[in-house]
Amino acid sequence: MTKTLRALLAAIPATDIVTSAGDLCTRISAPVTESSRDVQPGGVFVARKGLSTDGHRFIDSAIAAGAAAIVGEADILPVPVPYVRVRNAQQAIGKLAAAYHDYPSRKLCVIGVTGTDGKTTTCHLLHSILKRATGIRPGYISTISADFGAEAAATGLHVTTPGAPQIQAYLAKMVAAGLSHCILEMTSHGLAQGRLNGVDIDVAALTNVQHEHLDYHGSWAAYRDAKAVMFRRLVDSWRKPGIAKVAIINADDPSADYFAAIPADRVLQYGIENTAEYHASDIQRAAAGSSFLVCGRTMQLRLPGAFNIANGLAALAAARALGVAWEAVGQGIAAVGLISGRMERIDAGQDFIAMVDFAHTPNALRSALTACRVMLSQGGRIIAVFGSAGLRDVQKRRLMAETSAQLADLTILTAEDPRTESLEDILAMMAQGCRERGGIEGETFWRIPDRGFAIYQACRLARAGDLVIVCGKGHEQSMCFGSTEFAWDDREALRSALVGAPLSTLPTADELAYAAD
């Protein structure tokens, strides 16, 4: 694929271009990238200032690797290739990448899914539905992976929305594979940082807006506004023949009216508590899932918890907005029995339930623990293991601990990506949250810094009929201490603990971590 630099720049508003030097008719024959390590001969390197480094430092390296043009924000010395200075390189890169790949989202029906909790599950439920719909060939990009029809790819460790160039490359791959629809998980970070710029959306679905990421966005209102970017983009996106711009809103969420007021061709709502076009009634909950009635039809859901009923309704509403038949909707929802790292059971022959869940917000933890209570036999106890990330929302540390103190019988506080913060300080804040809700350290809650040993101790505490749930990491494959990502999988750690061997691969796995033994 070859484009001129001028053709790529046409994707950016003229007012965003400050100045340019060099031949704008230069042929671009390789992708746009923001990493000098990924530059291919004939490509475009976009230099921008990041949180820890300045991409302008790597311009010479990019040119040496064969970059045909540079786009940046700084006023730099002359370079031997065309240089275009823009006001905001971070916001420009997605549009440039979309132009290079010939705007792939315009050749797909794109369903964006955003929200604090439930995005990934909603994406996978909707994908299952669309696979059973006549005339639809769907792909998806979620926290867990990207699906291109015939193949899939992992999407990262701690980044739920891949970088803008990768998003556009994935969409182009779907077009090349002959797919017709893409379900795209959209995070507040991805929306605010422009990673989703250049993506034209047809259906926008909201799961919920809860307490999360206030460290980055600064306030709950700013966080909600970042989610709203996806909905505002609906009517501004490329219009495809015969496809309406539809907003799907959770009527039970406190922000429902706020999102419903954003212009769209149609606004559809779903809910359990409040009246909506797609309202769940006659709900029957069980340990293995639930059934519910919606629009006079019975849905069978194999995922536990009331929160998964809401996720199923979101997927159902999006599918119906696309004209999918009810039969395919029911079959698709019923077919999903496991989503990686989401209420995932680990069985090593033990006489108690053990599971891993991605819950890493106060609301998600509350929902998970509430669902766990339904799974217990009489007299069974919930033993919760979780932490709270460093360099992230500080308020939720106390809130999560308070939630567990209220809803779990026993709580073990441990490491979860402390990064460069003091793990001891993080755990102290969480311990205070437990105490404020009546927790007694050493009796109803413990602080065990090493996550492997914390999980092991939870399994040692468990009696027949209990339930151990390890929350916060889910499907993720690493944990960050300092600036280093150490290999880590909660599921592997839980399997090891269940056979009597704490997984001891983290920096905290030393003699101090085992003092509680």
Side-chain angles (χ1 to χ4, degrees), residues 314-339:
L316 178 155
R320 289 296 296 160
L322 296 170
V324 176
W326 278 107
E327 183 179 8
V329 170
Q331 290 174 352
I333 289 177
V336 179
L338 172 66
I339 298 175

Side-chain angles (χ1 to χ4, degrees), residues 120 124 140-147 152-156 170 183 185 475:
T120 299
H124 285 255
Y140 67 79
I141 303 171
S142 79
T143 296
I144 299 171
S145 63
D147 177 85
T155 51
Y170 282 167
I183 305 154
E185 184 172 338
H475 65 284

Side-chain angles (χ1 to χ4, degrees), residues 402-422:
E402 289 179 358
T403 297
S404 189
Q406 291 174 307
L407 298 179
D409 297 286
L410 303 175
T411 297
I412 298 180
L413 308 173
T414 189
E416 181 186 315
D417 300 300
R419 298 185 172 89
T420 56
E421 276 200 71
S422 163

Side-chain angles (χ1 to χ4, degrees), residues 92-445:
I93 188 169
K95 298 172 184 177
L96 294 171
Y100 173 76
H101 288 289
D102 202 21
Y103 302 98
S105 65
R106 297 180 182 180
K107 302 168 186 176
L108 298 161
C109 177
V110 178
I111 305 99
V113 179
T114 196
T116 306
D117 303 315
K119 296 183 296 295
T120 299
T121 298
T122 298
C123 286
H124 285 255
L125 285 165
L126 180 56
H127 183 252
S128 179
I129 293 170
L130 296 188
K131 284 197 300 183
R132 290 158 177 80
T134 302
I136 291 178
R137 293 195 63 202
Y140 67 79
I141 303 171
S142 79
T143 296
I144 299 171
S145 63
D147 177 85
F148 309 113
E151 59 179 302
T155 51
L157 299 175
H158 285 124
V159 179
T160 49
T161 301
Q166 191 175 11
I167 286 283
Q168 296 298 330
Y170 282 167
L171 293 173
K173 196 167 187 176
M174 291 181 189
V175 172
L179 302 189
S180 60
H181 291 61
C182 173
I183 305 154
L184 181 52
E185 184 172 338
M186 295 186 167
T187 66
S188 61
H189 283 77
L191 290 161
Q193 294 171 0
R195 284 184 252 155
L196 293 154
N197 287 0
V199 177
D200 291 286
I201 307 166
D202 302 290
V203 177
L206 175 75
T207 57
N208 49 66
V209 184
Q210 302 292 333
H211 192 287
E212 177 69 327
H213 297 312
L214 302 193
D215 58 295
Y216 178 81
H217 296 286
S219 69
W220 185 84
Y223 172 56
R224 183 180 66 176
D225 286 346
K227 297 288 188 188
V229 168
M230 186 182 80
F231 288 84
R232 295 193 181 98
R233 190 170 293 171
L234 262 180
V235 293
D236 295 332
S237 289
W238 184 270
R239 284 193 171 270
K240 297 144 194 174
I243 299 179
K245 302 292 186 178
V246 184
I248 309 295
I249 309 296
N250 182 353
D252 296 337
D253 191 82
S255 297
D257 290 344
Y258 170 85
F259 285 93
I262 298 173
D265 294 345
R266 294 171 63 199
V267 175
L268 300 175
Q269 299 201 28
Y270 66 91
I272 299 172
E273 303 297 331
N274 294 312
T275 302
E277 286 90 345
Y278 298 101
H279 177 259
S281 61
D282 296 334
I283 296 172
Q284 303 295 320
R285 297 191 183 97
S290 58
S291 67
F292 57 94
L293 196 67
V294 57
C295 297
R297 294 166 173 83
T298 299
M299 298 289 140
Q300 299 290 337
L301 180 67
R302 295 165 58 198
L303 303 175
F307 61 97
N308 275 321
I309 296 175
N311 295 333
L313 287 171
L316 178 155
R320 289 296 296 160
L322 296 170
V324 176
W326 278 107
E327 183 179 8
V329 170
Q331 290 174 352
I333 289 177
V336 179
L338 172 66
I339 298 175
S340 181
R342 272 67 177 172
M343 301 297 281
E344 182 176 349
R345 291 200 185 200
I346 306 296
D347 189 359
Q350 75 278 4
D351 57 4
F352 57 89
I353 298 171
M355 58 174 47
V356 168
D357 190 67
F358 190 48
H360 60 286
T361 68
N363 180 66
L365 183 62
R366 178 175 296 277
S367 296
L369 295 178
T370 301
C372 287
R373 191 62 65 184
V374 177
M375 300 179 192
L376 287 176
S377 55
Q378 187 172 1
R381 304 172 302 167
I382 297 173
I383 305 171
V385 183
F386 62 94
S388 193
L391 303 183
R392 297 294 184 267
D393 191 342
V394 174
Q395 295 179 43
K396 77 173 186 178
R397 298 170 187 175
R398 174 183 55 79
L399 293 173
M400 291 186 70
E402 289 179 358
T403 297
S404 189
Q406 291 174 307
L407 298 179
D409 297 286
L410 303 175
T411 297
I412 298 180
L413 308 173
T414 189
E416 181 186 315
D417 300 300
R419 298 185 172 89
T420 56
E421 276 200 71
S422 163
L423 176 56
E424 182 180 352
D425 290 348
I426 293 172
L427 295 179
M429 293 177 68
M430 299 183 76
Q432 183 60 30
C434 282
R435 283 191 289 268
E436 288 175 359
R437 288 296 181 269
I440 302 173
E441 191 156 11
E443 293 185 20
T444 62
F445 80 92

